[in-house]
Amino acid sequence: MTSDDFEYYTDKDFEWTGVLNLYLGSEFPNKKGTTFRIDVLIAENIEEPELSILKSFGQSWTWGEDRRIKAFELLEFQYIDKRLIFDFRTMRKSRKYDEIKYFLFDLGAGIEIEGNKIKEIQVRELK
């Protein structure tokens, strides 16, 4: 478990991304070693240069008060029919915070900046 004795962003800080309307929390116990998929349907197609950036984002995403906590290892990234598919393994898990939600907040903010929109989010455990 990570040290989570700090105050982080609130849901209200990221309400504008629309993520909270599409993601209510994972339906599986996310703990160290859990493999899971984040499947995000977006409104408009993404061009190849942006896909490289999104893959890199998934590989290097960190969070925390100093952005030094690496919660996930990216196992695979795919783009199929306006769907961004990230397969992750949890490396570090906070007792206090939902890192998947924070990843989605950051992803949603980046997609919105590019003029696109998240239409659907699915998160499920991989066996």
Side-chain angles (χ1 to χ4, degrees):
M1 299 286 180
T2 63
S3 174
D4 53 13
D5 60 346
F6 55 87
E7 294 303 316
Y8 203 56
Y9 298 110
T10 66
D11 289 354
K12 189 173 181 174
D13 293 328
F14 282 92
E15 192 172 47
W16 63 273
T17 63
V19 165
L20 295 175
N21 296 324
L22 303 170
Y23 174 73
L24 303 175
S26 63
E27 296 180 4
F28 56 89
N30 185 18
K31 58 186 184 283
K32 185 175 180 179
T34 299
T35 56
F36 63 95
R37 173 169 289 170
I38 296 176
D39 182 335
V40 176
L41 176 65
I42 54 175
E44 299 176 26
N45 279 317
I46 294 180
E47 300 298 322
E48 188 60 39
E50 289 87 10
L51 291 175
S52 297
I53 293 168
L54 288 167
K55 180 179 181 181
S56 179
F57 172 77
Q59 291 171 324
S60 61
W61 182 79
T62 57
W63 77 286
E65 62 185 341
D66 58 4
R67 286 291 211 193
R68 290 187 177 183
I69 301 172
K70 181 152 179 63
F72 313 128
E73 172 189 15
L74 181 66
L75 303 175
E76 186 173 356
F77 173 76
Q78 301 175 67
Y79 178 66
I80 304 168
D81 298 326
K82 297 184 186 176
R83 290 191 176 277
L84 302 169
I85 302 167
F86 298 87
D87 290 351
F88 287 112
R89 177 179 301 115
T90 301
M91 296 170 39
R92 297 176 74 180
K93 180 66 186 102
S94 169
R95 290 183 182 105
K96 184 176 178 182
Y97 296 106
D98 180 355
E99 295 94 334
I100 295 172
K101 178 174 65 175
Y102 292 118
F103 174 82
L104 289 167
F105 281 161
D106 287 348
L107 179 65
I111 288 171
E112 291 263 337
I113 287 170
E114 291 297 317
N116 212 331
K117 183 123 181 98
I118 294 177
K119 299 190 60 106
E120 177 184 298
I121 297 170
Q122 297 176 21
V123 179
R124 66 178 176 88
E125 185 174 12
L126 298 174
K127 302 285 181 171

